[in-house]
Amino acid sequence: DAGVIQSPRHEVTEMGQEVTLRCKPISGHDYLFWYRQTMMRGLELLIYFNNNVPIDDSGMPEDRFSAKMPNASFSTLKIQPSEPRDSAVYFCASSLPRTSGSLWNEQFFGPGTRLTVL
Amino acid sequence: AQSVTQPDIHITVSEGASLELRCNYSYGATPYLFWYVQSPGQGLQLLLKYFSGDTLVQGIKGFEAEFKRSQSSFNLRKPSVHWSDAAEYFCAVAAPPNFGNEKLTFGTGTRLTIIP
């Protein structure tokens, strides 16, 4: 398996522009997570999906951020309009469905998208 | 809500020396505990996890961690580090999961530098 795939790997944009980050989870995983990593705040969970449905979006910073999962193999995180404080590394992760008796399923992380907003 | 503290931002260790990275958690009961490693430019990789039972858990790459309930700690150890261990290490905690609760809370990380 190719692992979690994220694109682009690097994005440089100007303040006010729309930014779309993309993620392809591992096939068969039905949980998908979006994280943001900054020096100041560390690694934060933004939102996660189960079977394409958003379960918890309490970490989404504000209305400028939105995430969708139109199907089991694709998710987007959109920032509109972008601001310099959105500069960070954004990670996508996926995990297997929970089955009877499983205590936890490992989250597999993608390589991240480094976003710079000028 | 659960939280994690990694008191050491940066640690430098000589190659071949032993290593201990500290992690303290805050949670009302025994949470699920994890250590992840992030190599430069890479995503996070799970090193080991603790759910219950034996308080000393073994992980990949020769790492181990010990859960100490009395100290609310889950410190990561390795007897002899290799240059390839240079990376950032994250401790994470999750509530024992109910259906649908899959949230991981991460510490701020400890950057490990290895010197010859």
Side-chain angles (χ1 to χ4, degrees), chain B residues 23-69:
Chain B
C23 172
N24 293 96
Y25 68 89
S26 175
Y27 186 66
T30 299
Y32 288 5
L33 295 159
F34 309 82
W35 275 99
Y36 280 81
V37 61
Q38 183 182 23
S39 298
Q42 303 295 314
L44 279 72
Q45 180 183 21
L46 181 66
L47 283 176
L48 47 80
K49 57 187 181 288
Y50 173 78
F51 295 150
S52 64
D54 191 344
T55 57
L56 186 64
V57 294
Q58 302 297 321
I60 63 172
K61 305 185 180 187
F63 286 92
E64 65 179 26
E66 185 171 13
F67 170 64
K68 293 185 177 180
R69 184 191 308 274

Side-chain angles (χ1 to χ4, degrees), chain A residues 9 31 33 35 37 43 45 48 56 58 91 98 103-104 106-107 109-111, chain B residues 32 34 36 38 41-44 46 51 90 94 97 100-104 106:
Chain A
R9 292 293 308 275
Y31 281 92
F33 306 81
Y35 290 88
Q37 185 179 38
L43 196 64
L45 177 66
Y48 76 91
D56 187 337
S58 60
F91 288 101
R98 182 169 299 281
L103 296 177
W104 188 266
E106 180 180 349
Q107 293 182 22
F109 283 74
Chain B
Y32 288 5
F34 309 82
Y36 280 81
Q38 183 182 23
Q42 303 295 314
L44 279 72
L46 181 66
F51 295 150
F90 293 90
N101 181 3
E102 303 289 333
K103 294 180 70 170
L104 274 173
F106 286 87

Side-chain angles (χ1 to χ4, degrees), chain B:
Chain B
Q2 62 263 31
S3 66
V4 180
T5 302
Q6 293 181 248
D8 302 307
I9 296 174
H10 186 200
I11 284 183
T12 299
V13 177
S14 298
E15 190 169 14
S18 63
L19 170 71
E20 182 167 26
L21 302 182
R22 296 184 291 165
C23 172
N24 293 96
Y25 68 89
S26 175
Y27 186 66
T30 299
Y32 288 5
L33 295 159
F34 309 82
W35 275 99
Y36 280 81
V37 61
Q38 183 182 23
S39 298
Q42 303 295 314
L44 279 72
Q45 180 183 21
L46 181 66
L47 283 176
L48 47 80
K49 57 187 181 288
Y50 173 78
F51 295 150
S52 64
D54 191 344
T55 57
L56 186 64
V57 294
Q58 302 297 321
I60 63 172
K61 305 185 180 187
F63 286 92
E64 65 179 26
E66 185 171 13
F67 170 64
K68 293 185 177 180
R69 184 191 308 274
S70 61
Q71 298 177 20
S72 297
S73 69
F74 188 59
N75 294 349
L76 182 71
R77 300 195 296 245
K78 187 170 185 177
S80 176
V81 299
H82 186 262
W83 64 267
S84 59
D85 293 324
E88 186 131 20
Y89 292 80
F90 293 90
C91 184
V93 63
N98 301 314
F99 179 76
N101 181 3
E102 303 289 333
K103 294 180 70 170
L104 274 173
T105 300
F106 286 87
T108 50
T110 298
R111 182 173 300 276
L112 176 64
T113 297
I114 309 295
I115 57 176

Side-chain angles (χ1 to χ4, degrees), chain A:
Chain A
D1 199 314
V4 176
I5 299 172
Q6 292 187 246
S7 64
R9 292 293 308 275
H10 301 272
E11 176 81 36
V12 180
T13 190
E14 293 189 345
M15 182 173 63
Q17 297 298 305
E18 177 180 295
V19 175
T20 299
L21 311 181
R22 297 173 175 80
C23 176
K24 176 179 170 56
I26 294 172
S27 177
H29 285 192
D30 71 352
Y31 281 92
L32 184 139
F33 306 81
W34 282 102
Y35 290 88
R36 178 174 67 176
Q37 185 179 38
T38 62
M39 290 290 291
M40 292 298 296
R41 300 176 65 90
L43 196 64
E44 305 171 281
L45 177 66
L46 299 178
I47 185 172
Y48 76 91
F49 295 83
N50 180 217
N51 289 321
N52 313 334
V53 176
I55 302 300
D56 187 337
D57 65 354
S58 60
M60 294 287 264
E62 49 198 274
D63 292 346
R64 296 185 298 105
F65 285 68
S66 62
K68 294 182 179 179
M69 193 165 185
N71 58 62
S73 59
F74 184 66
S75 177
T76 60
L77 178 67
K78 185 176 294 186
I79 308 173
Q80 167 62 21
S82 58
E83 298 182 2
R85 61 192 169 121
D86 302 329
S87 298
V89 180
Y90 291 82
F91 288 101
C92 177
S94 69
S95 69
L96 283 166
R98 182 169 299 281
T99 58
S100 175
S102 67
L103 296 177
W104 188 266
N105 287 321
E106 180 180 349
Q107 293 182 22
F108 291 84
F109 283 74
T113 295
R114 181 174 296 277
L115 173 65
T116 302
V117 183
L118 303 174

